Each structure stands twice: as C-alpha cells, then as structure tokens.
Amino acid sequence: MAKSTVITISRQYGSGGRLIGKKLAEKFDIPFYDKELIELAVEESGFSKEIFEKVDERASSSLLYTLSVTPGLMHGGLTGMADLPLNDKVFLVQTKIIKDVAAKGGCVIVGRCADYILKEMHNVVNVFIRSNMTDRINRCVNVYNLNMNNAAKEIQRMDKKRANYYSFYAHSKWGVAENYDLCINSGRIGIEASVDVIADYVDKFEEAYKAAQAKKKH
C-alpha cells in the first residue's frame, strides 16, 4: 500500500499531529521523518546532535539577507554559509535533507517548513492539524506529562515558536488554510479518524495526479 506522495504535517502543539503523521506513515508503509531529520542532519553536517536539538525550529535574523546575496543556498548547496548564525545553518542543512528524502519518494515529514521547502514539487500533500484548547491541554497532561497549571502556557509558547519560525523562513502566516491542501480538527474526530481522512485524501490525490499525467502523454 506504499504511496509515492510526500505528506507534510504542520501542527498545533498538543493536537496529536506527530502521532497522526506516524500512524499515516505506518498505514502507507512509507518513511516517517520528524526528529529523524536531526539524525540525518548530524550525519550531513558534522554538527553535534545537541546543536540541532537546541536550535531546531527556531528563527534567527540574518538569513534573508544572506539568501539575497547567495541565492544558491536554498537549492541544495551548503557552501557559503560559514558566516551564518547557527540557527540559519541548521535550517539550511535541514532544507537539504528534506529535499533529499522527498526526492526518494513517498514519506511523511513533520514540521520544519517542509510544505514551503517542497513547494516546487508536484507530488506533495500539505496538511495542517489543529484542535481545541481543552483537548490540547488534556493531551499535554496525559501524554506529554506536563503539569495542568503549565500546559496552557507551554501550548502558547510552542505555537508562537512555530508561527515565528514559519513566518520567518516561509514568509507566510502559519496555520492559514490557503497554505495547505487539508486542514483537520483532530479534537473533533480523533487521531484514528484523522489518519483515515488524510489517507483517503492522498488516495484521491494520487488517482487525480496519475490521471493528469496520463492525459499529458496523450
């Protein structure tokens, strides 16, 4: 049942987006990348794992200028980034890794502006997972083992961090429907049903994509 589609998952903190992505990858028998991207980036760059974990999905302030004078950095090359802040080096290494794994075929990639990084590819389905605050707090307490009194603050902190990261590197607003093919409220239908909805969408997407490709040949 393996798929050729690359599925990117953006998610609110506590919405279960990572678990949905993991189950989707298992359902389709395709690779899953979240923290796994850090392992690959460590091998690619030679930086320590601790560095990637510290600055993962955090924006800095100078990359936009650097890209304007060294445009090749966003197209797979890593040369010319010696003077960049660490956050930007991490982003560029992960950009290369994301493009590399997507080029190999179907997979699920969580976070890290993957939808933006892969915007030129045609076999990509971008998904955003959200949920209501009550369900997110419950997940943070019961699954992430956070204190009930701190859960809401942690959700707000993580959402702000992800929104800032996306805004800085993708030049767009995080969570806006027009940036995604599918937006799902996991709190309304649950984790398993969310997986099924995305899987059904991917099935239909591949059918339409294959039909369009066949039409071009004729």
Side-chain angles (χ1 to χ4, degrees):
M1 195 179 178
K3 295 294 180 180
S4 58
T5 301
V6 177
I7 305 163
T8 74
I9 303 285
S10 299
R11 72 285 183 222
Q12 290 181 328
Y13 188 71
S15 66
R18 185 186 188 280
L19 180 58
I20 289 169
K22 181 73 172 177
K23 287 180 172 290
L24 194 63
E26 292 171 354
K27 185 181 187 74
F28 284 152
D29 191 25
I30 55 178
F32 172 79
Y33 299 103
D34 181 16
K35 296 300 183 183
E36 293 79 4
L37 290 172
I38 291 178
E39 301 290 345
L40 294 173
V42 168
E43 295 177 10
E44 175 75 26
S45 67
F47 295 153
S48 71
K49 182 177 179 180
E50 288 74 20
I51 286 176
F52 280 94
E53 290 176 338
K54 182 178 180 180
V55 302
D56 189 33
E57 291 196 297
R58 295 178 185 273
S60 72
S61 59
S62 67
L63 184 61
L64 295 183
Y65 170 76
T66 303
L67 292 179
S68 71
V69 297
T70 319
L73 286 175
M74 278 297 289
H75 298 284
L78 296 178
T79 58
M81 68 174 193
D83 297 328
L84 286 176
L86 191 57
N87 301 59
D88 294 344
K89 291 179 182 179
V90 167
F91 176 77
L92 290 173
V93 172
Q94 290 190 152
T95 292
K96 183 179 185 301
I97 297 298
I98 287 170
K99 289 183 175 181
D100 286 347
V101 299
K104 295 177 182 178
C107 60
V108 176
I109 304 174
V110 176
R112 298 168 182 84
C113 292
D115 58 308
Y116 168 72
I117 291 168
L118 302 177
K119 63 182 180 180
E120 302 300 329
M121 292 184 64
H122 300 294
N123 64 321
V124 179
V125 167
N126 301 312
V127 180
F128 188 85
I129 306 295
R130 64 172 298 270
S131 187
N132 62 70
M133 183 58 77
T134 299
D135 287 338
R136 293 165 70 192
I137 289 174
N138 288 336
R139 171 169 287 276
C140 287
V141 172
N142 298 322
V143 179
Y144 305 160
N145 297 317
L146 295 184
N147 183 286
M148 175 67 77
N149 296 326
N150 298 328
K153 290 183 179 179
E154 181 65 5
I155 287 171
Q156 293 170 354
R157 185 186 73 83
M158 289 296 294
D159 280 358
K160 183 177 180 180
K161 176 185 133 178
R162 290 172 181 175
N164 289 342
Y165 181 85
Y166 191 85
S167 175
F168 184 79
Y169 288 117
H171 328 301
S172 186
K173 190 173 182 179
W174 179 72
V176 173
E178 64 188 23
N179 293 330
Y180 310 96
D181 299 293
L182 196 61
C183 297
I184 295 177
N185 186 334
S186 60
R188 285 282 185 92
I189 62 176
I191 298 298
E192 297 299 336
S194 297
V195 172
D196 291 342
V197 168
I198 299 170
D200 186 59
Y201 186 96
V202 171
D203 286 340
K204 298 296 190 297
F205 170 81
E206 290 200 349
E207 289 176 8
Y209 183 76
K210 289 176 182 177
Q213 292 300 104
K215 188 175 181 180
K216 285 182 180 180
K217 292 179 181 179
H218 298 287

